[in-house]
Amino acid sequence: MRGTYMLVWILIICLSQVAVQSQYYSKSLPYHPKPVKVTNLHFFLHETLGSENPTAVVIAQANIPSNHNNSSVPFATLYALDDPLKIGSEHDSEVIGNAQGLTVYAGTNTTDAVMYVDFGFTTGKFKGSSISIFSRNPTGEIEREVAVIGGRGQFKMATGFALLKAYFINATNVIIEYNVTVIHY
C-alpha cells in the first residue's frame, strides 16, 4: 500500500512538471485594423430563357404531379445561370462581367428562390474581382433585397446587400437592375 502511495506522489510531481515545462512562447502584436471601404455598384443583369442561346437553364426539377405554388415556375426547380452583367439596360450595353451560379425555387406557396451567384467583373476598375450573393430572393416582388456574403480580389471579406429591381420581364428575357453596397477591406 505504501508503494502505491509513493507511486501516486511520483506521478503527481511528474505531471505537474509537464504542465510547467510545456508553456509555449507567444509574442503579442498590436492590433491595427484595416480601414473599411464601402463601394456602391450599379449594373444590370441580362438573363435569357428558352431561346437559341439561353443564359439560364433548368438542370433539375422535382417530379411532382401538380404546381401548388400558383407560379409559372414549379416548386423545386433548379437553374444554372451564366448571365452577362451590363452597364445599361439596353441589349447592346457594354458587358462588365457575368453572374454564374445556381437558383432553386424553394417556396411551396410562393415564388421564393434561394440563390447562390458569383458576380465576376471582367473589365474596368474591379476586373478580376467578384462578389458572392447567397440569399433568399422573393422573385415575385418587383423590388427586393439580397445579401452579399463574400468576395475575392478587391472585395475580399465582403459583406453588404443588393437592392434588386425588375426592370424588364417577358417570356424569354429578364433584366434586373442591381444597386449593390459592398463593405470590404
Side-chain angles (χ1 to χ4, degrees):
M1 187 75 160
R2 195 169 186 188
T4 305
Y5 284 126
M6 182 63 85
L7 182 61
V8 169
W9 276 109
I10 291 172
L11 285 173
I12 290 172
I13 291 170
C14 288
L15 290 175
S16 66
Q17 291 300 312
V18 168
V20 170
Q21 298 299 323
S22 68
Q23 295 294 322
Y24 62 91
Y25 174 76
S26 125
K27 181 179 178 184
S28 295
L29 299 174
Y31 176 64
H32 298 293
K34 292 183 178 180
V36 174
K37 299 176 191 171
V38 176
T39 302
N40 294 305
L41 304 169
H42 180 256
F43 53 84
F44 292 83
L45 178 140
H46 291 249
E47 187 166 271
T48 305
L49 305 162
S51 68
E52 189 175 307
N53 295 312
T55 61
V57 295
V58 175
I59 57 173
Q61 189 170 358
N63 187 13
I64 52 178
S66 65
N67 184 10
H68 295 293
N69 65 351
N70 298 320
S71 166
S72 61
V73 181
F75 169 66
T77 302
L78 179 65
Y79 282 87
L81 56 102
D82 185 4
D83 298 332
L85 304 176
K86 298 184 178 186
I87 289 178
S89 60
E90 300 79 23
H91 181 69
D92 60 352
S93 292
E94 178 187 354
V95 174
I96 59 168
N98 61 333
Q100 296 177 322
L102 300 170
T103 299
V104 62
Y105 281 84
T108 55
N109 295 319
T110 65
T111 55
D112 285 355
V114 176
M115 62 187 287
Y116 170 73
V117 183
D118 185 77
F119 292 78
F121 299 98
T122 55
T123 62
K125 180 179 177 181
F126 301 113
K127 180 179 180 179
S129 299
S130 71
I131 57 173
S132 297
I133 292 179
F134 181 53
S135 188
R136 176 183 217 159
N137 183 2
T139 59
E141 298 177 15
I142 299 297
E143 295 184 12
R144 51 208 186 262
E145 180 179 317
V146 295
V148 174
I149 61 149
R152 63 182 177 82
Q154 293 185 47
F155 299 122
K156 286 180 186 153
M157 303 291 290
T159 60
F161 62 95
L163 299 175
L164 284 59
K165 184 175 182 182
Y167 187 83
F168 177 80
I169 299 173
N170 70 12
T172 57
N173 294 295
V174 177
I175 300 173
I176 307 289
E177 181 179 14
Y178 276 75
N179 285 297
V180 185
T181 300
V182 183
I183 303 164
H184 57 102
Y185 298 97

